[in-house]
Amino acid sequence: MEGQDEVSAREQHFHSQVRESTICFLLFAILYIVSYFIIRRYKRKSDEQEDEDAVVNRISLFLSTFTLAVSAGAVLLLPFSIISNEILLAFPQNYYIQWLNGSLIHGLWNLASLFSNLCLFVLMPFAFFFLESEGFAGLKKILEDLDEQIYMITLEEEALQRRLHGLSSSVEYNVMELEQELENVKTLKTKLERRKKASAWERNLVYPAVMVLLLIETSISVLLVVCNILCLLVDETAMPKGTRGPGIGSASLSTFGFVGAALEIILIFYLMVSSVVGFYSLRFFGNFTPKKDDTTMTKIIGNCVSILVLSSALPVMSRTLGITRFDLLGDFGRFNWLGNFYIVLSYNLLFAIVTTLCLIRKFTSAVREELFKALGLHKLHLSDTSRDSETTKPSANGHQKAL
């Protein structure tokens, strides 16, 4: 009887391992396919020619795709774990979610840590040096002045038409060249006019909504970090390394339950997006931004490495700042500095101070005026300003008029 129980336990363990491996493979396959299409969208088309370096190009492309897929997995690690904990808490005995368990979550964290180190220290350096050895060459526009661009493109179109009509029909090559250039100008003009038609709607609805949403998310992040600082000062269990919370599905990690978990996931994605935008906004990395159909493989490798570093740091950053209370699993929670109170406290203080100063500096009068203009409140502001100017208007004898 005991032998049968032992065999049954081994069979269950084997089936569990097979199920977890299959789920991990399917999840990674989805991320790999999405990453492949993203890289193909930005990759330079001229590098796809069939020549002696085509094999090198393909190998570098596959390694970069693998790295980008690992980066996406690291970004989704915390959100997937948080939502899994809430689902298991809400449906503990549901047969259809038995595959979602603590063993699977721990396995995903371990794989993400392993593949992140593998890509960062082995695959990407190999892809870069292998590519170079074969001789391969390595929210600013929301308020654009589209009227000026359309005016300039219209002038260019008229100039091309005059040149085209002034040429002799015998000069066939120049005529064909100008016709092609004129067609390109007309296409660009059509795109600009289409953007101009949509810009009024974007300016009146999308831009204010995005600015208010960013303001709210940034403010909530700062408030959570401030609360985390207070918890660190009064309770040492708030340290990211010191917390030893319950297992997956045992208790909700947020006071507000599923709503709080959803808010944590939104803030985690916000941290990742703001990190990427901030990275590419740096002056040193200005020319590093990928361009559609015109990015060399060398730049693609560099961008994949940069995103991998940012995404791998996301779980640790989110937990250290107190954005989430989910424990760091696997190698992510084995950093020695996570147990240093002064480092963690200084990191939280630095984030709160810098983010607050950035919020005050970026949300300037120019942005407020645009929001007032979009919401129709600028007329009230202008009327108050004109009334104030009339009250302080100097008279002919040099004295100011009084009401």
Side-chain angles (χ1 to χ4, degrees):
M1 191 68 180
E2 294 180 357
Q4 292 180 353
D5 294 339
E6 184 179 354
V7 172
S8 177
R10 287 204 303 266
E11 289 179 352
Q12 290 180 0
H13 179 71
F14 173 76
H15 291 311
S16 176
Q17 292 294 323
V18 172
R19 181 176 64 248
E20 292 176 10
S21 301
T22 304
I23 294 172
C24 293
F25 175 78
L26 291 177
L27 292 176
F28 184 78
I30 295 173
L31 295 177
Y32 187 91
I33 293 173
V34 174
S35 302
Y36 177 78
F37 283 108
I38 291 175
I39 292 182
R40 286 294 296 242
R41 177 181 177 83
Y42 290 98
K43 184 175 177 294
R44 179 177 291 177
K45 300 301 181 183
S46 59
D47 292 343
E48 298 179 359
Q49 298 177 357
E50 294 293 335
D51 52 16
E52 63 275 5
D53 294 335
V55 176
V56 179
N57 193 14
R58 292 195 188 98
I59 293 175
S60 301
L61 174 64
F62 294 150
L63 292 179
S64 300
T65 306
F66 184 87
T67 302
L68 189 60
V70 173
S71 303
V75 172
L76 297 174
L77 205 55
L78 262 180
F80 182 78
S81 302
I82 294 173
I83 198 67
S84 299
N85 181 76
E86 298 299 326
I87 290 176
L88 289 175
L89 189 63
F91 309 100
Q93 303 298 329
N94 195 310
Y95 174 78
Y96 296 100
I97 59 172
Q98 292 300 314
W99 57 273
L100 195 62
N101 49 41
S103 178
L104 174 64
I105 302 300
H106 281 77
L108 290 174
W109 280 74
N110 291 328
L111 289 176
S113 176
L114 173 65
F115 286 150
S116 297
N117 292 317
L118 179 65
C119 293
L120 186 59
F121 298 108
V122 179
L123 298 185
M124 285 293 94
F126 170 77
F128 175 76
F129 290 114
F130 188 49
L131 187 67
E132 290 298 317
S133 65
E134 293 297 326
F136 270 82
L139 268 252
K140 290 180 179 180
K141 298 182 179 179
I142 296 179
L143 298 177
E144 289 179 309
D145 191 354
L146 295 179
D147 290 327
E148 182 179 352
Q149 293 189 29
I150 293 176
Y151 176 72
M152 296 297 295
I153 205 70
T154 302
L155 291 179
E156 186 176 355
E157 180 184 4
E158 293 175 353
L160 287 174
Q161 287 179 346
R162 286 195 298 268
R163 288 178 58 190
L164 186 60
H165 292 314
L167 285 176
S168 172
S169 59
S170 59
V171 191
E172 183 178 354
Y173 178 76
N174 288 339
V175 170
M176 293 177 60
E177 215 175 40
L178 284 176
E179 287 180 348
Q180 181 64 34
E181 190 174 352
L182 181 61
E183 188 65 29
N184 294 336
V185 169
K186 288 182 177 179
T187 303
L188 181 59
K189 181 181 178 181
T190 303
K191 291 181 180 179
L192 289 174
E193 289 177 345
R194 190 181 303 119
R195 288 178 59 188
K196 181 183 177 182
K197 292 178 181 177
S199 63
W201 177 79
E202 292 174 355
R203 219 172 19 246
N204 294 331
L205 180 61
V206 177
Y207 178 68
V210 170
M211 289 302 300
V212 171
L213 181 62
L214 290 177
L215 178 63
I216 292 174
E217 289 181 342
T218 308
S219 303
I220 294 176
S221 301
V222 173
L223 288 176
L224 289 177
V225 173
V226 171
C227 293
N228 189 51
I229 293 174
L230 296 177
C231 292
L232 288 172
L233 294 175
V234 300
D235 186 8
E236 63 178 8
T237 59
M239 293 289 294
K241 190 177 181 180
T243 52
R244 293 293 183 268
I248 303 295
S250 300
S252 179
L253 301 174
S254 175
T255 308
F256 302 100
F258 190 83
V259 176
L263 179 61
E264 290 181 359
I265 293 174
I266 293 174
L267 293 178
I268 289 171
F269 282 124
Y270 168 70
L271 283 179
M272 183 61 194
V273 173
S274 60
S275 300
V276 173
V277 173
F279 172 78
Y280 285 111
S281 299
L282 295 175
R283 185 175 302 178
F284 182 75
F285 299 101
N287 297 327
F288 203 57
T289 307
K291 300 178 181 178
K292 182 182 176 183
D293 298 332
D294 192 28
T295 307
T296 62
M297 278 304 306
T298 305
K299 279 191 176 182
I300 288 177
I301 292 174
N303 280 277
C304 290
V305 171
S306 304
I307 295 176
L308 176 64
V309 173
L310 295 174
S311 60
S312 300
L314 181 64
V316 180
M317 179 176 67
S318 302
R319 181 63 187 90
T320 305
L321 294 175
I323 301 298
T324 179
R325 292 295 175 184
F326 193 90
D327 287 338
L328 296 173
L329 305 177
D331 292 335
F332 287 94
R334 295 175 183 173
F335 297 105
N336 293 329
W337 62 268
L338 289 175
N340 192 312
F341 171 78
Y342 297 101
I343 294 179
V344 175
L345 181 63
S346 301
Y347 187 81
N348 281 263
L349 288 172
L350 182 64
F351 180 88
I353 294 172
V354 173
T355 305
T356 303
L357 292 177
C358 181
L359 187 64
I360 296 173
R361 181 171 175 266
K362 292 298 182 182
F363 200 70
T364 56
S365 58
V367 179
R368 289 195 297 269
E369 288 177 3
E370 290 295 335
L371 289 176
F372 289 154
K373 188 182 296 183
L375 298 174
L377 301 177
H378 65 292
K379 298 178 180 178
L380 179 61
H381 179 69
L382 289 176
S383 62
D384 294 339
T385 304
S386 60
R387 190 181 299 114
D388 293 339
S389 63
E390 288 179 359
T391 59
T392 60
K393 184 177 180 181
S395 62
N397 58 4
H399 298 284
Q400 290 184 344
K401 291 182 178 180
L403 289 176

